[in-house]
Amino acid sequence: MHMRRIDKKGFTLIELIITVAVVAIISVPLLQYFSDAAKHNAKSKVQQNAIIAAQNALEELKAEKGDITKPSTLVATSGAVSASAISRGWQLQSVDHSTGNYEITRSCTVNGSSYKVKAEIKPVKQFTNASGAAVTYHEMEVPKMDSSKDIVATEKSTSLVNAQMQFYNWYSSYCDNNKKDKTLGASYFKDKLKKTIYIELKQDVAKPTNAVARIYFRYEFNSSVASYPPGIGSSSTYDDEIVKKSIPANKISDIYIFYTPDSGSTRDSIVLDADTVNLSHLIKNEQLSLFAVSQDISSTNELSVDANSTSGDFFNSVYTNLNSSNIVTGSMSSKFSKSASGEYLMTKRSVKNRIADIEICVYKGDSILPANFCTLVRGSIAQQ
């Protein structure tokens, strides 16, 4: 029986050298591959985090409820930084006053990595409608009444009753003094009176930079409805003062009149009387807006707004809640604000930047340098 001889010599030196060489040749590209893969993964993670930072910023700006076309909505442009500005973390970098474009930046951290986010806001005043035409956007504004700069007058529930009794007293006194029988009662005058709402703006003698604003309701007998009763004539008027206040002339903004329409076919009237000689250097032309609010709307309500020869210069617009079928006349009729369909408007319409284009760049680290650039995201926002 033959036994197989086992060779126990192992590798020769030459074989070992050849083996090491082969392993080295194979390992170099493998190590390079793993190194490149690690670098690629790290770079991809940085890119992914940057995209997250950019998308978060874009979504936040789109969700902003304020007017994003104004830097002050997002950052404090002057004075102390507001709490809301601090919470957002944005800082204003630059503003192009010719275009309205502005840049803001802030630092953020995503998955443990630091980034610098830069957003450029580009306001756009026009948008393309369904027909493909460029349209300037007009935003409806419902102004808030501010007692420091607005004048508000509401007709009293007792105004007409007091006026009615005053005219009856004049008639009654005449009858008593002339020993004539009284054939008319106080109720007779209820639908025989017409009222005119007067708005006076006079310079305050005690404080020349102020204007004294006085609003009163004047009641007269409507001779077009019935002939004058005994003791009552064209000069018989009853005035009910609603408001009288001194206010800095350059601060006056809006005048609100809340009134109850006259009964019958009488047209309601508002008369503006401003001391243009002494107030023209304090009140700018078209500085004021008038809101005439009828507290009882019907299809027969009519309104006339007149002014003295130059008062209209101070008034930019007149707004009312009357129906479009109502007849609005007077020297101020051209100042009434209407919609495209002819409806009277109870709100202001002003040109607004409806659209803002947004461009967001994200940089690695805390510096805005070209070498640190990671990603660019663009979007648009419509201000509703």
Side-chain angles (χ1 to χ4, degrees):
M1 183 174 178
H2 296 283
M3 299 293 293
R4 191 173 183 181
R5 186 172 63 88
I6 300 175
D7 189 357
K8 297 182 179 180
K9 290 182 179 181
F11 290 104
T12 66
L13 179 60
I14 294 175
E15 290 173 334
L16 184 60
I17 292 172
I18 293 172
T19 301
V20 171
V22 171
V23 172
I25 293 171
I26 296 173
S27 298
V28 169
L30 285 175
L31 292 173
Q32 184 66 40
Y33 170 78
F34 287 117
S35 176
D36 290 345
K39 290 180 180 178
H40 177 74
N41 289 338
K43 187 176 181 181
S44 296
K45 185 177 181 181
V46 169
Q47 190 73 15
Q48 290 172 358
N49 289 340
I51 292 173
I52 292 173
Q55 291 292 349
N56 287 344
L58 182 61
E59 292 304 317
E60 178 188 316
L61 294 175
K62 284 185 175 183
E64 173 60 46
K65 294 181 180 179
D67 185 357
I68 200 173
T69 63
K70 299 177 181 178
S72 57
T73 299
L74 299 171
V75 298
T77 55
S78 63
V81 179
S82 64
S84 59
I86 292 175
S87 65
R88 293 186 180 95
W90 293 110
Q91 293 183 335
L92 184 65
Q93 296 300 313
S94 64
V95 179
D96 185 344
H97 296 288
S98 63
T99 62
N101 297 355
Y102 67 94
E103 286 187 357
I104 53 178
T105 62
R106 75 177 178 190
S107 299
C108 71
T109 302
V110 180
N111 294 325
S113 299
S114 299
Y115 295 90
K116 194 77 170 181
V117 181
K118 182 183 74 173
E120 183 177 5
I121 315 295
K122 303 175 182 179
V124 181
K125 283 187 171 65
Q126 290 185 328
F127 67 99
T128 303
N129 63 12
S131 302
V135 180
T136 299
Y137 179 69
H138 288 76
E139 184 180 77
M140 305 298 290
E141 294 181 335
V142 180
K144 295 180 180 178
M145 288 179 279
D146 184 343
S147 60
S148 67
K149 63 180 181 178
D150 297 333
I151 302 166
V152 182
T154 303
E155 184 175 5
K156 303 173 187 175
S157 59
T158 57
S159 295
L160 179 58
V161 175
N162 292 339
Q164 175 185 327
M165 291 306 302
Q166 179 62 67
F167 278 87
Y168 175 73
N169 289 338
W170 284 328
Y171 161 74
S172 180
S173 296
Y174 177 87
C175 292
D176 290 341
N177 294 335
N178 293 276
K179 296 182 171 46
K180 293 183 177 291
D181 293 334
K182 300 173 188 175
T183 59
L184 304 176
S187 59
Y188 171 81
F189 295 92
K190 183 176 181 180
D191 59 355
K192 304 296 191 302
L193 302 180
K194 63 178 180 179
K195 78 167 169 287
T196 302
I197 304 168
Y198 284 89
I199 303 174
E200 285 186 354
L201 293 174
K202 307 293 182 182
Q203 187 177 34
D204 190 336
V205 177
K207 196 171 184 179
T209 58
N210 277 24
V212 175
R214 178 173 177 254
I215 299 178
Y216 61 93
F217 290 56
R218 171 167 291 177
Y219 295 85
E220 303 170 82
F221 189 86
N222 191 354
S223 59
S224 64
V225 176
S227 57
Y228 289 115
I232 296 173
S234 58
S235 61
S236 302
T237 60
Y238 173 79
D239 292 351
D240 189 9
E241 186 175 87
I242 307 297
V243 172
K244 186 176 183 180
K245 62 186 294 188
S246 180
I247 185 172
N250 61 355
K251 284 189 176 181
I252 301 176
S253 177
D254 298 326
I255 298 176
Y256 295 83
I257 305 293
F258 296 89
Y259 70 97
T260 302
D262 282 330
S263 58
S265 58
T266 304
R267 175 182 294 127
D268 298 299
S269 297
I270 297 178
V271 176
L272 308 168
D273 184 14
D275 181 4
T276 55
V277 175
N278 293 308
L279 293 179
S280 58
H281 68 291
L282 299 173
I283 302 178
K284 298 177 182 179
N285 287 350
E286 300 189 346
Q287 175 181 328
L288 310 180
S289 293
L290 172 64
F291 293 82
V293 186
S294 173
Q295 299 185 92
D296 181 16
I297 296 297
S298 75
S299 60
T300 60
N301 295 159
E302 297 180 358
L303 180 66
S304 171
V305 181
D306 294 277
N308 62 24
S309 59
T310 54
S311 287
D313 293 342
F314 291 152
F315 287 85
N316 177 45
S317 297
V318 179
Y319 304 89
T320 184
N321 60 339
L322 297 181
N323 300 319
S324 61
S325 59
N326 301 138
I327 301 172
V328 180
T329 62
S331 61
M332 294 278 287
S333 59
S334 62
K335 302 272 187 178
F336 276 80
S337 185
K338 292 184 178 182
S339 67
S341 60
E343 291 286 333
Y344 295 124
L345 298 175
M346 197 61 245
T347 56
K348 291 182 177 180
R349 291 172 62 86
S350 57
V351 175
K352 290 290 180 183
N353 294 320
R354 181 174 187 263
I355 297 174
D357 292 331
I358 303 172
E359 183 177 284
I360 295 178
C361 295
V362 178
Y363 300 81
K364 181 72 173 69
D366 198 38
S367 300
I368 298 177
L369 297 173
N372 296 346
F373 176 78
C374 291
T375 189
L376 168 65
V377 175
R378 291 187 176 94
S380 295
I381 183 170
Q383 294 289 337
Q384 299 297 339

